[in-house]
Amino acid sequence: MTEPMALAADALWAPLVDAGTQWCAPNVHADAAWLDVGGQRWRVAVTKAVPGNSYVVSAAGQYLDYAREETRRIPSRANRTASRGLLAAVAPVVRALDPVVILDALPVSTVLHPVRPADAWHDALAAARASFPSQPVMVRSLDAVASRGTLETLRALGMALIPSRIVFHQDPGPDAFWQARNLRHDLALQRRAPMPCRALTPGDAAHIESLYWQLYGDKHSRLNPRFTRQWLAHGMTAGVFEGEGIEHDRQLVGVYLSYTIGGVMTNPVFGYDTSLPQPLGLYRRLGVLALQAARRKGLVLHASSGAPAFKATRGGAPSIEYHAVDLRGVRGVQRMAWETVLRIARAVGPAMMRRAT
């Protein structure tokens, strides 16, 4: 039986089937559908091969376009140049990764999957292959902490695992967790210079949209999904998203929205007014608020990727995240593209983990 919160997450998908994925985010290009598997509905996204497509629905968006953007963070000029040259060389091949069929899809950076029996996954994969013959079938966001059982099940079902990124998990339940020096400093900041905090409501959606994009779009990558205020308000009204905001001079200046499945909470929406002075510590304050919320609810926080040093010094345990891909029936150029990217990603995966630890 599927847990209630997993079914509630379907409410995030339902309007996209009717209105299209761009109702959720204008840079998310895919066909959203339901796949009926023995009377159970599964969320399915089928990529549209569009330049600049968000990585949440596009394999080329993640392994080429997003990788290109990340090269600007490489400190060594020589390494930056070499990385860009390599990406330019493999670009025609990597473009052929799309389209893909994403099973159990959500248009967010981190997809939490409910625990399902192996036969449910077996039947869903078979249904996806039958409905979308010759297309790769992908399941995103799998790691050995948040989704160990699902990861092992999909491996046993013959899916290939491709390293995606390093993610971090924080367990704020034990008192010892809060003894990390940087967390103590963050708590001290809250006590020394308190700022008003409150629960977010659908009426805040326009502010949430803006603050999220200031951080994740303008500062980091425009390949992140550019969520619309309509979809954010819908997610809160449906009871899937909940979160808190920080106020400064009576204005909302920092926000996070979370959703929860299977004892794990993650924040697909996180942002703040990046024009305000850094000493206000808005990112630090939001991080503590989310951790405190997870602790109250007895949850582990899936802190996703990014800011690895920040998360590691606040009790974050790194883990390699994988996407699982089923290539049965895939032929020709697309097959060659996937096999090439699998070889490259598996070669660099161990180095990714070493850098994170």
Side-chain angles (χ1 to χ4, degrees), residues 145-163:
V145 178
S147 46
R148 177 182 295 275
T150 301
L151 186 70
E152 293 175 351
T153 292
L154 297 180
R155 192 202 310 265
L157 289 173
M159 298 187 78
L161 300 181
I162 178 170

Side-chain angles (χ1 to χ4, degrees), residues 11 24 30 40 65 82 111 123 126 129 132 158-159 167 297 351 356:
C24 159
Q40 297 291 317
D65 297 330
V111 181
D123 294 347
R129 288 197 302 271
F132 306 97
M159 298 187 78
V167 296
K297 299 170 186 177

Side-chain angles (χ1 to χ4, degrees), residues 44-357:
V44 177
V46 183
T47 310
K48 294 180 180 178
V50 175
N53 202 354
S54 174
Y55 67 88
V56 299
V57 292
S58 168
Q62 175 163 2
Y63 291 107
L64 179 60
D65 297 330
Y66 194 85
R68 277 174 169 163
E69 288 195 354
E70 286 296 291
T71 60
R72 66 189 177 183
R73 305 183 196 282
I74 299 173
S76 162
R77 182 176 179 180
N79 288 342
R80 278 199 309 275
T81 301
S83 297
R84 287 168 180 166
L86 173 62
L87 288 170
V90 301
V93 173
V94 180
R95 283 274 171 239
L97 293 175
D98 288 335
V100 296
V101 177
I102 304 174
L103 186 60
D104 214 29
L106 275 179
V108 294
S109 60
T110 300
V111 181
L112 299 178
H113 303 281
V115 176
R116 293 184 172 99
D119 59 353
W121 279 107
H122 173 275
D123 294 347
L125 284 169
R129 288 197 302 271
S131 299
F132 306 97
S134 78
Q135 303 254 5
V137 179
M138 175 185 283
V139 180
R140 298 181 59 241
S141 304
L142 302 163
D143 72 84
V145 178
S147 46
R148 177 182 295 275
T150 301
L151 186 70
E152 293 175 351
T153 292
L154 297 180
R155 192 202 310 265
L157 289 173
M159 298 187 78
L161 300 181
I162 178 170
S164 165
R165 56 184 184 163
I166 297 296
V167 296
F168 290 82
H169 299 275
Q170 296 166 297
D171 183 358
D175 290 341
F177 173 86
W178 297 91
Q179 298 308 307
R181 184 178 67 174
N182 283 7
L183 267 178
R184 295 202 309 271
H185 290 171
D186 297 343
L187 292 166
L189 173 65
Q190 282 189 328
R191 292 191 299 268
R192 183 176 67 252
M195 298 177 70
C197 302
R198 63 173 175 84
L200 296 172
T201 71
D204 297 314
H207 283 107
I208 298 169
E209 174 191 43
S210 173
L211 293 169
Y212 159 77
W213 195 246
Q214 282 186 55
L215 179 62
Y216 273 83
D218 295 335
K219 186 173 182 179
H220 289 303
S221 171
R222 291 181 174 266
L223 293 167
N224 282 302
R226 187 165 191 166
F227 300 129
T228 64
R229 64 193 67 180
Q230 294 86 354
W231 188 71
L232 294 171
H234 167 78
M236 287 185 279
T237 301
V240 185
F241 286 155
E242 57 182 15
E244 297 170 280
I246 297 171
E247 293 182 336
H248 178 63
D249 292 339
R250 299 185 179 181
Q251 296 292 319
L252 198 61
V253 296
V255 296
Y256 79 87
L257 288 176
S258 67
Y259 79 104
T260 301
I261 290 177
V264 179
M265 165 182 158
T266 193
N267 305 318
V269 179
F270 198 97
Y272 60 88
D273 185 340
T274 56
S275 70
L276 290 176
Q278 190 173 3
L280 284 176
L282 294 176
Y283 188 85
R284 295 165 60 194
R285 293 173 188 268
L286 286 170
V288 168
L289 282 181
L291 284 167
Q292 290 172 329
R295 189 183 200 192
R296 288 194 302 272
K297 299 170 186 177
L299 303 170
V300 171
L301 181 64
H302 188 312
S304 196
S305 65
F310 180 93
K311 292 168 184 174
T313 57
R314 288 161 174 82
S319 180
I320 296 181
E321 180 187 85
Y322 298 88
H323 299 332
V325 60
D326 188 333
L327 297 175
R328 282 170 284 192
V330 180
R331 299 287 183 267
V333 173
Q334 191 174 28
R335 177 80 183 211
M336 180 190 70
W338 272 104
E339 290 177 346
T340 300
V341 171
L342 277 165
R343 284 195 300 270
I344 295 171
R346 286 168 174 167
V348 302
M352 289 167 53
M353 192 64 185
R354 285 195 298 272
R355 285 199 303 271
T357 55

